Amino acid sequence: MSNMGARVSRMFRNFNLENRVIREISKEKPLVAPRHKTPVLPPVSSSDAAGDSEVIHGKNEPLVSLLKTVWVQSEDPLPAEPVPGPPAPLPVVERRPLKFSLPGPGHGLADITDVPKGRLSLVEALRALNSHKTQPATWTAQRVALEYCLAPADTAALLQFFIPFNVKILPPQRDGQKQIRGS
């Protein structure tokens, strides 16, 4: 029974096959596009090829003499002399202790106890953004800048362009809705 589909498709494929073949053969063939004329080059004799080899591999004396007159002079720049004395001290970056951090060990974070002034940890940034969002009258840009030792312009841009997500959990409504029950 599984060969039935193959038999039917073969029957349709072979139906009226001879007439279809004759029709395709008797059609006029499309004309071939004309070929572009190419210039016919005279045949190269082997004696000319040997003469060209000498020209290619031989020295051109006028060019060699011109090349001998070319002279390149290069001077390396003098190295900068090191200034005697103690090395320049590295700039000291003021640091401030963290205001907030994640409770408990782990969380994939290193044990950070302080950050440079003008910087925020991720937890502090989220807390500052959320505080400003929930209480904008209390947590203004100036207060956030003072609290976390930030530049006022950067703090204003931070509070304007970064907004934390709202997470809302909607309870299911079951008052007048019909539910599909399992059979």
Side-chain angles (χ1 to χ4, degrees), residues 3-116:
N3 289 339
M4 189 63 177
R7 287 183 184 178
V8 171
S9 66
R10 190 178 313 118
M11 189 173 69
F12 280 115
R13 190 174 54 232
N14 293 336
F15 176 74
N16 202 10
L17 183 65
E18 292 176 5
N19 289 342
R20 287 186 288 151
V21 168
I22 290 171
R23 191 177 332 132
E24 284 296 321
I25 292 174
S26 64
K27 280 186 182 177
E28 286 188 33
K29 305 294 182 261
L31 295 176
V32 180
R35 297 205 176 257
H36 294 285
K37 294 183 179 179
T38 57
V40 179
L41 298 176
V44 178
S45 66
S46 60
S47 62
D48 289 344
D52 290 341
S53 175
E54 291 173 5
V55 171
I56 292 173
H57 296 293
K59 286 186 177 181
N60 190 339
E61 289 303 322
L63 291 179
V64 172
S65 64
L66 287 175
L67 186 61
K68 287 181 181 178
T69 61
V70 174
W71 188 257
V72 177
Q73 289 183 341
S74 171
E75 294 180 5
D76 290 335
L78 296 175
E81 294 182 18
V83 178
L90 295 175
V92 177
V93 178
E94 292 185 47
R95 299 183 75 83
R96 63 170 182 79
L98 285 179
K99 301 274 184 190
F100 304 101
S101 63
L102 292 176
H107 304 294
L109 301 173
D111 295 327
I112 300 173
T113 58
D114 60 346
V115 292

